[in-house]
Amino acid sequence: MRQIKSIVIAGLLLTFPMFVGAQTTVKISEPEDEVIISKHIYGHFSEHLGRCIYDGLYVGQESAIPNQDGVRSDIIDALIDLKIPNLRWPGGCFADTYHWKDGVGPREDRPTMVNRWWGGVTEDNSFGTHDFLNLCETLGAEPYLAANVGSSSVQEFTEYVEYVLHKGGSPMAEWRKEHGREKPWAVKYWGVGNEMWGCGGNMTAEHYANVYRQYATFMTDWTNSDGLFRIASGANVDDYHWTEVLMRDIPKSLIEGVALHSYSFVEWNEKGSSVDYSEEQYFSTMKTALMMDELIVNHTAIMDKYDPENEIALVVDEWGGWYEVMEGTNPGFLYQQNTMRDAMIAGTTLNIFNNHADRVKMANLAQTVNVLQAVVLTEGEKMLLTPTYHVMKMYNVHQDATLLPVSFDGPTYEFEGESLPAISASASKNKDGEVHVSLVNIDAHKSHTVNLSVEQFGAKNLTGTILSSKDLQDHNSFESPEMIAPKELKSIKVKKGVVEIELPPFSVLVLKAE
């Protein structure tokens, strides 16, 4: 990766002047083959990390903050409005040090542990499996359990499956009933370890493939009529050898998904501020974000060799922006702000996932509350929604809709002799015949005019929602929690079946055609 000098401008929000760019014509076509954009692409991730669970999602039943069984009511309402389709838990790196039996039964009897990965804090296991799975039921979201392989055993792993899924008569099912849950939970998605190339055990791909085969063999489904969805711990960014080995060495009868992790940042060892960043840092971050398309293309090409029938999903179960923690916060808690840069990451990444929905069947933004590219931030009783939240809510119209191919020759965003595509787009048609088009302009300076032909869809009623702001570094704070919020697009020009829209710099727009 090219080395880029870090420029940190403390206490200064840069204002980028707006210039008018070129016109772009976006063509939307009817698909030759129907591809459904799985709602699970819009999944989320909550790890026992910093203030994601404790002092974030979970405040306890005795808290003065309104809650449902200890989980903040305002966060529950926000996630329901977001139409969150699935939630991954308990990690992350934490997953491969987590022993699930420590988190069930009376809270006063649960042992403590030290969270060695994230801040060295003491974990009291007060938020455990019952709390998480009951929360998913409240949210109407599918649970995605990342289970321990790195420091566990096949027996502990399979007893977890039995505890969660068996109806009754087995030792683990009866133990679950003793803890107050009569019926099993219908948990379909199971991660067989996490980042086994790193914090999950520093394994080679060849070794992990054999370990995976062993664990997956003993996983038995007791509840779901269509079976378990077992997800192998996949590659780190462009480790194509890892994907090659898993696809080659794991029988298709034992696997339903292969994971991929990729984060967006300035430089791995020089991530820069989440608020006071320069245009150079912004450009570099967007460069890594847009690499997601290349990663998916290349990993998919490997998967196609071994799975031409497209039966195994690519699951991008960790993605998002990663910067330095906010000043004065615990370095191991990964708390950062969320600006219009993060809205750009979210919009372009979701467009990439939508356009590769034939292979990408699930993804999980990291992370839900108070960690990395969060959709919700909290401070005591206060809560705010981030620009990323608003983008994901705007985009949830694509969930389970039919992908419509888009094509265009767009302008570029130029910076110091380098260029990136300025415009990103994806489109879909839902079961009611509504067409939705999501557009992003990442250019820090120029607005761009987009001409969009909708005549072939017989659209008569056009509406739009836009997310934009004056400065790229703008963000919602607890003093101004609604500084950035979606607004109705007031100017939609239609002439001879062509819609003309002006996209301001660093903006996200979703157009609906009925």
Side-chain angles (χ1 to χ4, degrees), residues 40-44 86 315-317 319 353 361-365:
H40 290 295
I41 284 173
Y42 291 81
H44 294 262
N86 68 73
V315 179
V316 190
D317 56 14
W319 68 272
F353 291 160
K361 303 296 184 183
M362 178 183 280
N364 300 82
L365 174 68

Side-chain angles (χ1 to χ4, degrees), residues 40 48 65 111 129-130 182 196 233 236 250 260 263 281 301 360 384 388 436 439 447 479 486 491:
H40 290 295
H48 284 242
I65 298 173
T129 296
H130 287 248
E182 180 70 24
M196 306 310 293
S233 172
N236 180 30
I250 299 174
L260 170 65
Y263 287 92
Q281 292 172 313
V360 179
L384 64 80
T388 298
H436 293 95
L439 296 162
S447 65
E479 294 72 34
S491 178

Side-chain angles (χ1 to χ4, degrees), residues 346-367:
T348 55
T349 303
L350 291 172
N351 281 340
I352 290 169
F353 291 160
N354 288 347
N355 289 325
H356 291 289
D358 55 338
R359 182 63 81 171
V360 179
K361 303 296 184 183
M362 178 183 280
N364 300 82
L365 174 68
Q367 293 187 6

